[in-house]
Amino acid sequence: MRGLAGKIAIVTGAAGGIGSAAVARLLAEGCRVVAVDLDEDDIVKACGEVDGDRFVAVAADVSTPDGCAAYVKQAVHRFGAVHLFLNNAGIMGVRMPIVDMPVAEFDRIIAVNLRGVFLGLQAVIRQMIAQGEGGAVVNTSSAGALRPYVNSAGYGTSKNGGISLTKVAALENGSHGVRVNAVCPGSTATPLLTAAFGAEGAEKSGDHLPLARVASPDEIAALMVYLLSDDASYQTGGVYTVDGGLMLT
Ligand SMILES: NC(=O)c1ccc[n+]([C@@H]2O[C@H](COP(=O)([O-])OP(=O)(O)OC[C@H]3O[C@@H](n4cnc5c(N)ncnc54)[C@H](O)[C@@H]3O)[C@@H](O)[C@H]2O)c1
């Protein structure tokens, strides 16, 4: 894809299924990658042993301003700039009806999936504006934001908030040459899906779809990396599903 070789990318949630698939694609396109997750060993396990000239693993909690400042600082320290940002870390949290959900669990989901996306946008776009060369951002939302389901008050709300942040950030930063888009994956074969629905439930969660299966993480990463590339140079503020046809059902 155009405009990726030599760029410096930050990917959060890089120890997870979708994040590590995106890291692999960005490295294959010639990017240098700052891979962020809670635990450094987990990042290396998921992403593999990568040439240190093009890859750094950073342990940071995206729900804190210090965590977001730390990964931007590492990117600038190691590679000199930030051009691309996949704001992807997320949790499903405990699935339960609103009437049963502890407030602390709702707050925990919002802290990672919504506050974390806001803090990441703030830290990274400030850096992009200071560099004066524009940039591209993809926020990971969810098909569950567009098609709500039961027991997902925290998750669905946080992912809808991520769509709002995407649109506001796109409006505010287009004049700086910073594009911001959201990707809404459907059911994707990652630890998050298995934790939420169990191994069998996760596998079956694609049965009712037009494509009759769940996505591989790489099928989601493909769209994300396209949106980060210059092939998507006129796309900003967009909300793109990769859902096997879920929206038609
Ligand atoms: N798998 C799906 O079916 C699906 C569907 C729609 C959207 N998504 C979204 O895709 C994104 C990636 O999820 P995935 O499916 O790869 O799940 P995953 O659990 O494999 O990866 C998520 C990663 O985020 C990390 N993370 C969680 N909290 C963090 C924090 N506070 N700071 C830093 N890292 C943190 C986790 O450690 C994990 O490695 C998430 O935002 C998720 O909500 C996934």
Side-chain angles (χ1 to χ4, degrees):
M1 289 175 200
R2 287 187 305 127
L4 290 175
K7 291 277 169 63
I8 296 144
I10 295 174
V11 177
T12 68
I18 293 171
S20 59
V23 168
R25 276 190 175 259
L26 289 165
L27 287 169
E29 294 281 356
C31 293
R32 283 168 283 173
V33 178
V34 179
V36 181
D37 210 292
L38 291 170
D39 183 87
E40 199 176 316
D41 290 342
D42 288 346
I43 301 170
V44 173
K45 247 181 253 160
C47 297
E49 293 290 341
V50 186
D51 169 13
D53 290 343
R54 294 214 293 131
F55 179 82
V56 61
V58 177
D61 180 346
V62 303
S63 68
T64 69
D66 285 354
C68 297
Y71 63 67
V72 172
K73 196 173 166 193
Q74 267 296 324
V76 174
H77 172 69
R78 283 293 296 268
F79 301 130
V82 182
H83 304 120
L84 314 174
F85 180 38
L86 178 54
N87 203 0
N88 169 74
I91 56 173
M92 173 71 82
V94 178
R95 300 174 58 249
M96 56 173 66
I98 290 170
V99 292
D100 296 331
M101 185 176 281
V103 175
E105 180 58 8
F106 183 82
D107 287 348
R108 187 177 75 94
I109 299 166
I110 296 293
V112 178
N113 294 3
L114 183 56
R115 189 170 193 259
V117 169
F118 167 78
L119 292 171
L121 287 169
Q122 188 172 65
V124 169
I125 296 176
R126 279 179 180 159
Q127 175 62 30
M128 288 174 171
I129 291 172
Q131 291 166 193
E133 299 167 21
V137 178
V138 168
N139 295 320
T140 305
S141 179
S142 171
L146 307 173
R147 176 68 66 88
Y149 49 92
V150 294
N151 300 333
S152 72
Y155 188 75
T157 302
S158 66
K159 291 297 180 180
N160 266 299
I163 290 175
S164 291
L165 286 171
T166 300
K167 293 178 180 176
V168 174
L171 282 167
E172 290 176 353
N173 296 289
S175 61
H176 296 290
V178 176
R179 298 183 297 103
V180 187
N181 290 289
V183 167
C184 296
S187 293
T188 308
T190 71
L192 177 141
L193 195 67
T194 311
F197 300 107
E200 202 183 330
E203 178 86 32
K204 285 196 170 144
S205 65
D207 287 0
H208 65 295
L209 300 173
L211 291 184
R213 63 175 177 83
V214 298
S216 75
D218 186 58
E219 288 175 306
I220 309 301
L223 177 61
M224 293 167 158
V225 172
Y226 159 74
L227 287 168
L228 292 174
S229 81
D230 286 352
D231 285 339
S233 53
Y234 201 58
Q235 285 167 274
T236 197
V239 179
Y240 301 96
T241 54
V242 207
D243 65 357
L246 171 68
M247 293 305 146
L248 302 174
T249 64

